Amino acid sequence: MIAVFSLSLVSCGDDDEGENNEYSRYGQINYGQININGKDYACYGYGMPITYTSSWEGGTLSISLPLGELADAKKGEYDFDYMVSIDCYGGNKPMVGTNLANYPEKYLTVVLDEASSADYESGSAIVKSVKDDDYITIEFKNFKCKASNLQSYTFNGTVKLDYDVD
């Protein structure tokens, strides 16, 4: 599954365009940070030269968080090794203030140590800003889920993602 994600095109980041940005031969590289179970990861962001876009399509909100080791990102190595996907059904198109936790149906896939589906348990994931066909910014606060392998994951941090509306 990780090999499939390695072939995908990716993006996520955060609103702070000063401290975590790097420059490469592709131009500005934006990566944000997200904390999962006490460990910080680079979340490859909005405006990346290669993107895996989050989207609103057919009543479904799909959020993709491609992640890599933070130490590698700080060295200018922008490979991602992990992926978190959140698909939300049965709610309205997200706007500022929308909490992903309030969607009636949520399906999560976490690919960190191994691939596993997960169920939402508690916490919030609030849309902080959104511009159709450009970006969506989401703030995770103690957003907890439990995977099918019984591993629990807690997300904290703010990410800015490329966002497409159909």
Side-chain angles (χ1 to χ4, degrees):
M1 185 169 214
I2 290 177
V4 170
F5 284 129
S6 296
L7 297 174
S8 298
L9 303 175
V10 231
S11 173
C12 70
D14 88 24
D15 283 320
D16 182 0
E17 299 213 49
E19 72 184 51
N20 290 330
N21 291 340
E22 299 291 334
Y23 193 83
S24 76
R25 64 189 169 114
Y26 302 109
Q28 189 87 17
I29 300 294
N30 298 310
Y31 67 89
Q33 292 182 30
I34 191 162
N35 184 287
I36 303 172
N37 292 351
K39 180 179 177 182
D40 289 326
Y41 292 89
C43 184
Y44 295 107
Y46 172 72
M48 291 288 291
I50 300 175
T51 61
Y52 193 146
T53 303
S54 294
S55 65
W56 172 259
E57 183 176 354
T60 301
L61 176 63
S62 296
I63 301 297
S64 298
L65 304 173
L67 308 171
E69 295 292 333
L70 185 57
D72 291 344
K74 287 181 177 181
K75 292 187 288 186
E77 299 170 10
Y78 305 112
D79 297 323
F80 72 94
D81 301 310
Y82 316 107
M83 178 67 80
V84 175
S85 299
I86 304 169
D87 292 314
C88 301
Y89 305 92
N92 295 321
K93 183 177 159 192
M95 59 184 177
V96 172
T98 298
N99 185 350
L100 275 53
N102 292 338
Y103 279 87
E105 295 181 58
K106 294 166 285 301
Y107 297 96
L108 293 90
T109 303
V110 178
V111 180
L112 289 177
D113 299 324
E114 58 186 62
S116 187
S117 61
D119 294 318
Y120 168 79
E121 291 190 324
S122 63
S124 65
I126 306 290
V127 175
K128 299 308 260 183
S129 62
V130 62
K131 183 176 179 187
D132 288 357
D133 295 325
D134 195 7
Y135 63 85
I136 187 167
T137 304
I138 302 171
E139 179 182 35
F140 293 89
K141 285 188 178 178
N142 294 315
F143 187 85
K144 296 180 183 182
C145 62
K146 184 173 269 187
S148 56
N149 64 4
L150 303 181
Q151 172 69 41
S152 290
Y153 299 98
T154 302
F155 298 80
N156 285 291
T158 302
V159 293
K160 186 174 183 180
L161 309 162
D162 280 354
Y163 180 61
D164 184 48
V165 175
D166 285 331

